[in-house]
Amino acid sequence: MIKRIVCVIMIAALVLCNPFMTEKSEAAKYVNDRFRYSVEYPDSFTDAVYSTNGDGARLGIFDKEVMLTIYGSHNALDVTLKSEFERRMNSVDAVYHSLGETYYVVSWLENGIVYYEKKFISESYIKAFLFQYPASEKHIYDDVTAHIEGSFKR
């Protein structure tokens, strides 16, 4: 019986701490028609800066150092997935990385901030997001990261 009570309390805590699972915060959606991608993010991200050329946006809670940068571009320099992955891996001390057929993921910690980057690269386009948040809020923003990643449509 005690195990069930503890389990219910833990599940309730997870649900209440997830910004996508509370009444106060729902998923908002950013759609980029120019490069044909979209992503969901918490509607509690009330700060927004949109690029003037229509390639992306920076959304978040800037005074709390929570930022989602999303963008698309033409692959004008003909970069490859492997070269971009290696460039990123050489520029940070990665705590997590993954290289897929069309994308890479690299996560790192720098000055108390967690960075999580996912980048899709084809011969024609680059579509990516970089999510950053304070390491002290990892218990909240790890779930947000997973939601953002799962909702990124390209």
Side-chain angles (χ1 to χ4, degrees):
M1 180 68 173
I2 291 176
K3 285 183 182 179
R4 284 186 184 168
I5 292 171
V6 170
C7 194
V8 168
I9 290 171
M10 289 176 67
I11 290 170
L14 286 172
V15 167
L16 294 174
C17 289
N18 185 340
F20 286 104
M21 300 295 287
T22 65
E23 287 181 29
K24 294 180 183 175
S25 186
E26 306 232 349
K29 190 172 193 175
Y30 172 80
V31 177
N32 184 291
D33 292 325
R34 180 177 178 201
F35 288 102
R36 295 187 181 112
Y37 66 87
S38 65
V39 66
E40 292 181 356
Y41 62 93
D43 67 357
S44 60
F45 288 13
T46 54
D47 298 322
V49 176
Y50 299 95
S51 67
T52 56
N53 70 356
D55 66 353
R58 179 169 288 161
L59 310 164
I61 309 169
F62 298 167
D63 63 342
K64 292 187 177 184
E65 297 187 83
V66 175
M67 283 183 262
L68 172 62
T69 304
I70 44 183
Y71 64 92
S73 69
H74 295 284
N75 191 354
L77 299 176
D78 294 322
V79 299
T80 66
L81 179 63
K82 185 177 179 187
S83 69
E84 281 294 285
F85 176 70
E86 289 173 354
R87 183 191 63 76
R88 176 54 80 196
M89 289 296 291
N90 289 328
S91 69
V92 298
D93 187 15
V95 295
Y96 172 79
H97 64 274
S98 176
L99 179 61
E101 287 186 32
T102 60
Y103 70 90
Y104 75 75
V105 173
V106 176
S107 184
W108 67 96
L109 181 65
E110 185 177 312
N111 299 322
I113 303 293
V114 173
Y115 295 86
Y116 186 95
E117 178 181 58
K118 186 166 190 176
K119 190 177 277 193
F120 292 89
I121 299 176
S122 71
E123 289 182 12
S124 302
Y125 298 104
I126 298 171
K127 300 173 186 181
F129 73 84
L130 173 65
F131 186 45
Q132 66 184 73
Y133 55 89
S136 62
E137 308 240 346
K138 188 173 181 354
H139 63 285
I140 295 171
Y141 290 109
D142 277 358
D143 289 341
V144 174
T145 303
H147 187 95
I148 289 168
E149 182 174 27
S151 74
F152 193 77
K153 305 294 182 220
R154 49 172 190 82

